Amino acid sequence: MKPLPLVEIPAEVARKFWLSFEPCPTTGCWLWLFSPDNWGYGRIRLAYKTFRANRISWVLHYGPLKAEDLVLHTCDVPSCVNPGHLFIGDDLMNAQDRKRKGRSRSRLGPD
């Protein structure tokens, strides 16, 4: 799913967001309970478009996102929407984060 810019969250969507996750007491993750995509990321509909729940969380807590902004996880839990576990990056930062955490696969084999 190609990210879209996200500037403002309507009150109705914000209310839905606050009712759609459960805090995990051991990890601190806020686990999204509904509509996961094929990769485990939460989804929420807004103005006839589907957004990842972590992007909604970011905008609710920190402000607007540009289309090229990726919302990455420090916890590596796709369903987590805890703003304290999220950070902004780009494709290069995402690839570097995956590699640093040992989650990337190379077609050429290990370094």
Side-chain angles (χ1 to χ4, degrees):
M1 163 185 347
K2 184 179 179 197
L4 298 168
L6 196 51
V7 176
E8 190 175 333
I9 307 299
E12 179 182 325
V13 174
R15 279 191 296 276
K16 183 176 180 179
F17 172 86
W18 288 108
L19 297 172
S20 298
F21 65 84
E22 183 174 313
C24 176
T26 56
T27 64
C29 289
W30 297 358
L31 303 174
W32 192 256
L33 300 173
F34 306 103
S35 306
D37 66 14
N38 292 335
W39 297 272
Y41 292 91
R43 297 179 298 175
I44 193 166
R45 300 264 312 156
L46 172 59
Y48 303 103
K49 297 191 184 322
T50 301
F51 291 88
R52 282 190 171 168
N54 60 335
R55 290 179 67 80
I56 300 289
S57 180
W58 183 273
V59 173
L60 285 172
H61 293 91
Y62 300 119
L65 289 168
K66 297 177 283 196
E68 62 270 17
D69 289 336
L70 299 182
V71 179
L72 309 176
H73 292 84
T74 59
C75 60
D76 289 336
V77 177
S79 64
C80 181
V81 295
N82 180 340
H85 292 192
L86 304 176
F87 65 100
I88 296 297
D90 57 22
D91 288 326
L92 178 60
M93 288 175 68
N94 194 25
Q96 290 169 336
D97 186 53
R98 276 194 315 267
K99 185 174 182 178
R100 184 174 51 257
K101 293 173 179 174
R103 292 185 293 104
S104 76
R105 289 181 274 161
S106 171
R107 289 187 237 170
L108 303 175
D111 290 337

